[in-house]
Amino acid sequence: MTTTNTDWTAHAKRLADQLAESGDLTDPAWRAAISAVPRHLLVPRAYTQAHDGSWSEIDLSTPEGMQRVYSTTTLVTAIDGRGHPVSSSTKPDLMVRMLELLCFHYGDRVLEIGTGTGYNAGLLSQRLGEDNVFSIDVDPELVTLARQRLGGLGFLPRLAARDGVGGWPEHGPYDKIIATCSVPRIPQAWADQLAPDGRLLADLKIGLDAGNLVLLTKHGNRLKGSFTARWASFMPARHARDDGQAPARVERAEQERKFATTAPPEPWNTHREVWMLASPLLPPGTTYGYRLDPGTRTPTAATLTASDGSWCAVDLSKKRPRVVTEGGPTPLWESVERAYEQWYGLGEPPWAKFHLEVRPNGDHEITIADRPGWRLFLP
């Protein structure tokens, strides 16, 4: 172990102090946990992406690497064969906000969906006692590594390689469920495995990456709660097998039409609440992306593409009004403009005003706190 590594406690205490000073960390018990768990031993490997899209490993054993490990930075920790990130260690500031939102008490039984590196399971074990911590991940290799690293630190929470959508019913019910991956709907299995009045925190993704963390409490056989005020996002949940099929795509329609728009071209970056409203209006399977300048690789247009061959591209230059070019049978950008009009008409409600109820029949109903009668059912 290098001299830098032997001084990890100073790094961990500095991180805890930084989180407290920023206001993300207020609970002394979590502050003690952050100071006591060596993140560098649970996250010994991370990757960074170059401008050309390639990935390279970061040397975390250097003083600069240790600074990075004990910082409020998301660390990509696993890359698949296609060069796509599939696992990461959550930003510590987001991590502690999530833990505090769940209002843990010593002895609470918790199910974590998405073990990843095991760092969050280490914090939970330190805070709640390892016998109360259950963590699952779809990737057996990640689970094995996390178990080895946590065991080396003296933590023995229960870990298993399982598809997170099904939870872990053998050890339920749980007082708290925390998901460090995103899901398009809250799985019924999670609701079933939650104790009465238990709390669940997950990233609900609606359509094209719209959505946010939602904090739900179990009332009878329903989950009720609201989206968090601050936006956060996680990688989509992976599954042991894919039981569904992606919508069949037809060849892109090349006939173009052009028009001007005053709607911002990237609602998913500026007003994600609008993207939530737009998602039910768009064809299923619609995807978004960018056109890049071949020389600088900077975005020149934001794009939408639907499975019926429809597409649109919104100019990202500084020219006003922006020009939309689109083709195909479905006018995609019209849905975005309609969503903006709806959002403005509702008084531009922020995330915290959107409430969610999840029912046993699978219905997900979204309402707005001060807009009685308005509701949106997720498709």
Side-chain angles (χ1 to χ4, degrees), residues 79-129:
I79 307 294
D80 67 13
R82 300 171 298 167
H84 296 163
V86 293
S87 185
S88 65
S89 183
T90 307
K91 287 162 51 71
D93 52 339
L94 171 56
M95 190 178 297
V96 296
R97 291 203 305 273
M98 293 175 68
L99 294 172
E100 293 204 355
L101 279 169
L102 283 165
C103 297
F104 281 101
H105 302 284
Y106 187 82
D108 277 349
R109 291 168 63 83
V110 58
L111 173 63
E112 178 189 32
I113 312 294
T115 307
T117 66
Y119 178 57
N120 201 45
L123 295 176
L124 289 165
S125 298
Q126 179 75 20
R127 173 71 172 84
L128 305 175

Side-chain angles (χ1 to χ4, degrees), residues 8-316:
W8 72 266
T9 54
H11 288 283
K13 183 179 183 302
R14 187 192 68 250
L15 174 59
D17 291 344
Q18 179 183 349
L19 295 172
E21 290 169 5
S22 67
D24 294 303
L25 178 58
T26 62
D27 185 339
W30 286 120
R31 186 168 184 171
I34 292 287
S35 299
V37 177
R39 192 183 190 209
H40 69 287
L41 296 181
L42 292 166
V43 192
R45 181 179 296 108
Y47 300 87
T48 185
Q49 189 173 30
H51 290 298
D52 63 2
S54 63
W55 292 88
S56 59
E57 187 172 344
I58 306 169
D59 186 355
L60 298 181
S61 66
T62 65
E64 295 78 13
M66 287 289 283
Q67 290 281 351
R68 191 161 186 164
V69 169
Y70 291 95
S71 70
T72 56
T73 302
T74 295
L75 298 174
V76 174
T77 56
I79 307 294
D80 67 13
R82 300 171 298 167
H84 296 163
V86 293
S87 185
S88 65
S89 183
T90 307
K91 287 162 51 71
D93 52 339
L94 171 56
M95 190 178 297
V96 296
R97 291 203 305 273
M98 293 175 68
L99 294 172
E100 293 204 355
L101 279 169
L102 283 165
C103 297
F104 281 101
H105 302 284
Y106 187 82
D108 277 349
R109 291 168 63 83
V110 58
L111 173 63
E112 178 189 32
I113 312 294
T115 307
T117 66
Y119 178 57
N120 201 45
L123 295 176
L124 289 165
S125 298
Q126 179 75 20
R127 173 71 172 84
L128 305 175
E130 61 188 29
D131 290 341
N132 295 307
V133 179
F134 303 83
S135 182
I136 59 178
D137 199 294
V138 72
D139 191 326
E141 182 178 357
L142 291 179
V143 172
T144 298
L145 290 173
R147 182 180 289 114
Q148 292 172 350
R149 292 166 183 164
L150 286 165
L153 298 173
F155 292 127
L156 298 173
R158 315 251 185 112
L159 309 182
R162 299 176 62 99
D163 192 324
V165 169
W168 200 354
E170 294 90 333
H171 298 289
Y174 304 98
D175 299 294
K176 307 287 170 27
I177 295 178
I178 181 171
T180 53
C181 56
S182 67
V183 290
R185 304 179 79 81
I186 302 298
Q188 184 59 39
W190 296 1
D192 293 340
Q193 293 167 36
L194 197 61
D197 299 319
R199 289 189 165 198
L200 184 156
L201 183 62
D203 178 19
L204 182 65
K205 281 289 185 290
I206 304 166
L208 292 182
D209 203 27
N212 191 11
L213 290 176
V214 63
L215 179 63
L216 301 168
T217 302
K218 188 169 184 177
H219 299 276
N221 60 2
R222 300 186 178 202
L223 300 177
K224 298 180 181 181
S226 59
F227 291 91
T228 60
R230 294 174 65 175
W231 178 81
S233 179
F234 285 88
M235 294 180 186
R238 294 185 290 154
H239 303 288
R241 62 183 185 276
D242 186 1
D243 294 323
Q245 294 183 348
R249 292 186 177 272
V250 302
E251 187 175 347
R252 168 176 150 155
E254 293 300 334
Q255 186 174 358
E256 297 181 355
R257 50 189 178 272
K258 292 189 177 184
F259 55 91
T261 183
T262 57
E266 299 175 279
W268 49 89
N269 285 340
T270 53
H271 301 301
R272 289 176 183 265
E273 302 93 339
V274 174
W275 205 237
M276 177 176 66
L277 298 176
S279 293
L281 305 176
L282 292 163
T286 301
T287 59
Y288 74 85
Y290 294 99
R291 288 181 182 173
L292 303 180
D293 181 282
T296 63
R297 294 190 62 81
T298 57
T300 60
T303 64
L304 294 174
T305 307
S307 57
D308 64 359
S310 301
W311 60 274
C312 76
V314 188
D315 180 30
L316 293 181

